Amino acid sequence: ETGVTQSPTHLIKTRGQQVTLRCSSQSGHNTVSWYQQALGQGPQFIFQYYREEENGRGNFPPRFSGLQFPNYSSELNVNALELDDSALYLCASSRLETQYFGPGTRLLVL
Amino acid sequence: QQQVKQSPQSLIVQKGGIPIINCAYENTAFDYFPWYQQFPGKGPALLIAIRPDVSEKKEGRFTISFNKSAKQFSLHIMDSQPGDSATYFCAATLPSSNTGKLIFGQGTTLQVKP
């Protein structure tokens, strides 16, 4: 176990809705990264937060947004959900380059 | 240039065999190469990682071989066991002064038969 927790574990939404996913970092880690993993694919980088500031973003539209809190926990928000947003959403916490992943949130958009 | 290409897509070996998974990259600025193991319904778990100034690294039954000139690296699993059946991802990242985003390969599904 990495000490990174995510909630909820599963979620079903309909197209056009909004969703918030949550992540608690491993103790001592000040950086959180979010990834989207479609079925049968490798994780794709969404963005990273370091000390509450966005520190890099992948090729995802602005309707994907995030927050990092003073205790280094984080949220991923997705607005105007699309069917293609159905995926496993992973957060990873780190202090240096090694990233430790949580179990993920499985999102299904109908 | 930001891609990491992984092969094979799937692999079946007998218990005790040595599966080998290969990855290739283009961006010579990558400086950290981890391997992750993922079981169905779980998040990726770090197995072993290497930097380009080292040609080989062993941790338990897992070995990374790194060929900097060829821009290739591979994972070897010694004495493979049915419990090693999982999907394996190689990844690469730029120096930590950048975003630190991991760029993953496409994954290799390994099945170890008893």
Side-chain angles (χ1 to χ4, degrees):
Chain A
E1 297 296 324
T2 62
V4 180
T5 60
Q6 291 186 243
S7 62
T9 56
H10 295 83
L11 203 51
I12 300 175
K13 292 285 188 178
T14 56
R15 194 170 49 182
Q17 285 188 312
Q18 178 265 343
V19 68
T20 297
L21 310 181
R22 295 178 174 82
C23 172
S24 291
S25 302
Q26 185 168 327
S27 177
H29 289 183
N30 55 15
T31 303
V32 173
S33 304
W34 284 91
Y35 294 81
Q36 180 194 65
Q37 186 177 23
L39 207 58
Q41 303 292 319
Q44 298 290 315
F45 177 76
I46 303 174
F47 44 57
Q48 182 181 84
Y49 278 82
Y50 171 69
R51 294 187 175 179
E52 302 177 59
E53 297 286 334
E54 187 177 289
N55 182 43
R57 188 178 184 91
N59 189 25
F60 281 81
R63 59 189 186 84
F64 285 79
S65 63
L67 283 173
Q68 187 181 29
F69 300 100
N71 66 354
Y72 302 132
S73 65
S74 178
E75 285 183 355
L76 165 65
N77 298 289
V78 187
N79 292 321
L81 284 166
E82 301 177 359
L83 298 179
D84 286 349
D85 295 335
S86 295
L88 180 67
Y89 287 85
L90 297 160
C91 81
S93 75
S94 57
R95 191 174 64 84
L96 297 173
E97 69 273 336
T98 301
Q99 296 188 25
Y100 298 91
F101 285 84
T105 294
R106 174 74 63 187
L107 173 64
L108 177 61
V109 182
L110 300 176
Chain B
Q1 201 181 26
Q2 291 291 330
Q3 285 186 327
V4 177
K5 296 183 179 180
Q6 183 172 345
S7 63
Q9 186 174 0
S10 63
L11 193 51
I12 301 173
V13 300
Q14 293 294 131
K15 178 183 174 181
I18 305 176
I20 300 173
I21 304 170
N22 301 298
C23 286
Y25 64 97
E26 289 295 324
N27 190 343
T28 56
F30 288 147
D31 76 337
Y32 179 71
F33 301 86
W35 284 88
Y36 285 86
Q37 177 191 57
Q38 186 175 29
F39 293 103
K42 304 291 186 182
L46 179 68
L47 270 179
I48 186 173
I50 198 168
R51 294 196 178 277
D53 54 348
V54 175
S55 60
E56 185 176 276
K57 183 175 181 181
K58 292 183 181 180
E59 284 189 8
R61 295 185 294 108
F62 300 96
T63 300
I64 300 179
S65 297
F66 195 92
N67 186 330
K68 187 175 180 179
S69 60
K71 293 184 283 186
Q72 295 176 348
F73 58 110
S74 59
L75 176 71
H76 302 229
I77 305 176
M78 307 302 177
D79 186 27
S80 58
Q81 301 295 314
D84 296 328
S85 298
T87 300
Y88 293 82
F89 292 97
C90 62
T93 190
L94 295 169
S96 57
S97 59
N98 291 289
T99 63
K101 73 175 183 179
L102 285 168
I103 297 165
F104 283 86
Q106 297 89 336
T108 297
T109 301
L110 171 66
Q111 182 183 356
V112 181
K113 292 191 170 183

